[in-house]
Amino acid sequence: MQIIMLGAPGAGKGTQAARIASKHTIPHISTGDIFRANIKEGTPLGVKAKSYMDKGELVPDELVCDLVSDRILKDDCTKGFILDGFPRTIPQAEALDKTMSENNMDALKCIDIEVPDGDIIGRMAGRRTCPVCNATYHIVNMPPKEEGKCDKCGMTLIQRDDDKEETVKNRLSVYHDQTAPLIDYYRKKGCLEEVDGTKSSDEVFASIEEILG
Ligand code: AP5
Ligand code: MG
Ligand code: ZN
């Protein structure tokens, strides 16, 4: 089972990907999380990625495609994987197709979580994330059991640097220009599934589980 989570920033890709990965014991591969880990460690990739991420722009395709190709060929991906935040451009989708077809991976499902732009700003303003295990919360919609602390590992939760309102607006416009065309791309390939992301996290998860069968 190879799964792509598509959707605007804040649609709930990370929230749902973590649940699916844990239920089906397949790796959750988030390119955003990979970049943030590199930024934290101060790697050359992190330094390059940060300048784009801080502005809400996409990191160039050449810094992402090989990284994901290498990752999905690792041993833990033989049963499948779930990609969260990749692909985000047509060239990234083409690179993924190439790696998948060369390696006989043929059970792709692309799940598009649909949430209108108007709902996004509030979701981002209330989002808190764990800097260690990447768990995601929302101060109103999905609060942690103890305020400000991760349920899973106890770390102090933080706000992402790119969740400032101005940056979120730019991320949304980048999404519409560069990533939304992938909806048609996967529809034409016949593997697109759309879910209503405005429902509760449990309801969204139930719709996805129904699709995955
Ligand atoms: P990335 O980390 O992928 O960010 P994003 O796509 O902008 O998406 P988010 O993580 O912000 O949202 P999400 O859909 O995961 O929502 P979440 O579950 O957290 O990328 C960051 C940056 O890295 C990019 O801008 C780019 O610069 C770079 N990058 C990454 N990948 C790249 C690539 N392939 N190519 C180029 N550049 C790349 O939910 C959001 C909030 O809503 C949370 O607080 C959550 O608790 C809450 N929530 C979730 N579901 C619900 C619900 N059903 N009801 C109510 N609240 C909900
Ligand atoms: Mg995310
Ligand atoms: Zn944690």
Side-chain angles (χ1 to χ4, degrees):
M1 160 186 333
Q2 293 100 22
I3 306 166
I4 293 172
M5 302 302 291
L6 206 60
K13 302 181 295 293
T15 301
Q16 298 300 332
R19 297 183 69 166
I20 299 161
S22 129
K23 170 108 192 258
H24 296 272
T25 50
I26 51 174
H28 170 193
I29 303 169
S30 157
T31 42
D33 287 346
I34 293 172
F35 289 137
R36 282 184 287 276
N38 275 274
I39 291 173
K40 212 167 133 193
E41 286 159 25
T43 68
L45 174 64
V47 172
K48 281 187 209 150
K50 187 173 178 1
S51 60
Y52 298 96
M53 289 170 76
D54 281 350
K55 287 182 275 182
E57 303 288 338
L58 294 184
V59 174
D61 290 340
E62 56 271 25
L63 294 181
V64 194
C65 291
D66 290 351
L67 183 152
V68 174
S69 288
D70 291 349
R71 181 66 190 86
I72 64 174
L73 294 175
K74 292 238 158 78
D75 286 348
D76 63 341
C77 291
T78 46
K79 257 181 64 190
F81 52 78
I82 175 155
L83 290 173
D84 159 15
F86 183 93
R88 272 179 135 95
T89 62
I90 299 281
Q92 290 182 19
E94 289 169 347
L96 177 66
D97 280 350
K98 185 163 177 282
T99 305
M100 287 187 60
S101 70
E102 285 170 358
N103 293 280
N104 305 315
M105 298 171 173
D106 56 6
L108 180 69
K109 279 213 165 35
C110 175
I111 297 171
D112 176 36
I113 307 185
E114 300 195 328
V115 174
D117 285 8
D119 292 6
I120 300 288
I121 304 281
R123 283 199 184 187
M124 299 311 217
R127 172 162 61 187
R128 298 292 181 275
T129 59
C130 174
V132 173
C133 75
N134 297 313
T136 302
Y137 303 88
H138 188 281
I139 50 174
V140 180
N141 305 338
M142 277 178 251
K145 290 193 186 88
E146 187 188 339
E147 195 184 324
K149 296 268 186 270
C150 179
D151 289 351
K152 300 200 172 94
C153 73
M155 270 301 288
T156 300
L157 301 175
I158 56 160
Q159 257 189 301
R160 263 170 53 177
D161 287 344
D162 58 349
D163 279 351
K164 290 193 279 296
E165 190 171 330
E166 278 318 299
T167 317
V168 171
K169 284 186 180 150
N170 194 38
R171 283 162 61 200
L172 272 172
S173 107
V174 166
Y175 166 78
H176 288 294
D177 287 350
Q178 300 189 54
T179 306
L182 293 178
I183 297 174
D184 251 0
Y185 181 92
Y186 287 108
R187 186 178 286 125
K188 284 190 185 126
K189 280 173 77 77
C191 60
L192 183 77
E193 302 282 356
E194 291 162 289
V195 300
D196 177 359
T198 63
K199 303 236 174 80
S200 73
S201 172
D202 285 349
E203 288 170 300
V204 178
F205 183 59
S207 327
I208 296 174
E209 277 300 296
E210 212 177 300
I211 290 165
L212 298 178

